Amino acid sequence: MPLPRDVLRRLRLLVRPDTVVRWHRDLVKRRHARACVPKRRGRPPTVRPCLLLSPGILKQGGIDPAPERSSTTWADFLSSQAEALLACDFIETVTLDGRRQYILTVIDHATRRVRLLGTTAHPTAN
């Protein structure tokens, strides 16, 4: 039930506004930390057939090794392909009233611009 205006006018703040903002940041940080804890730690188990492969098995099967690769670094590859590369991801945030929002973003590697494509509270809804 909301308080009447005359009562609200007589109230004095016990905390500063930046304290409320800090509390909100801490709340969001704790919520995000809980949501991001991996369920299982460590490397996933290796598929059994991969364990049985030995060096030289492709050669025995008549498959030649791959040709020598030029010494292209990851940075060289990204700069040569930047015009064609886009990366997209959801950014999760919590609004001041505690609701989760998911923001769909795309990063254009050529221009390094981040574009916001939309926001939703339910990214898996139809």
Side-chain angles (χ1 to χ4, degrees):
M1 178 173 143
L3 294 173
R5 287 189 186 270
D6 61 327
V7 173
L8 287 174
R9 285 189 190 113
R10 287 184 281 141
L11 285 178
R12 299 289 180 236
L13 285 177
L14 298 177
V15 295
R16 296 186 319 205
D18 58 334
T19 303
V20 175
V21 172
R22 182 176 44 83
W23 288 344
H24 176 69
R25 275 195 311 260
D26 292 345
L27 173 72
V28 170
K29 191 185 307 181
R30 279 186 308 227
R31 264 195 199 162
H32 185 69
R34 272 196 312 260
C36 292
V37 173
K39 292 180 176 65
R40 194 177 156 156
R41 297 189 186 274
R43 180 179 176 188
T46 306
V47 179
R48 185 168 178 81
C50 293
L51 296 174
L52 300 177
L53 291 178
S54 63
I57 199 163
L58 294 178
K59 198 174 204 177
Q60 290 171 1
I63 300 171
D64 292 331
E68 288 297 319
R69 306 277 192 248
S70 63
S71 61
T72 303
T73 64
W74 186 246
D76 292 338
F77 170 77
L78 287 179
S79 63
S80 69
Q81 300 296 322
E83 295 295 325
L85 288 176
L86 293 175
C88 65
D89 201 358
F90 277 106
I91 298 172
E92 179 185 350
T93 187
V94 178
T95 60
L96 289 175
D97 61 356
R99 292 181 295 151
R100 288 183 188 268
Q101 286 290 310
Y102 300 90
I103 305 165
L104 179 61
T105 59
V106 174
I107 302 170
D108 182 1
H109 285 276
T111 61
R112 295 184 177 183
R113 288 189 175 191
V114 177
R115 305 201 187 266
L116 305 178
L117 299 183
T119 180
T120 181
H122 307 284
T124 58
N126 291 333

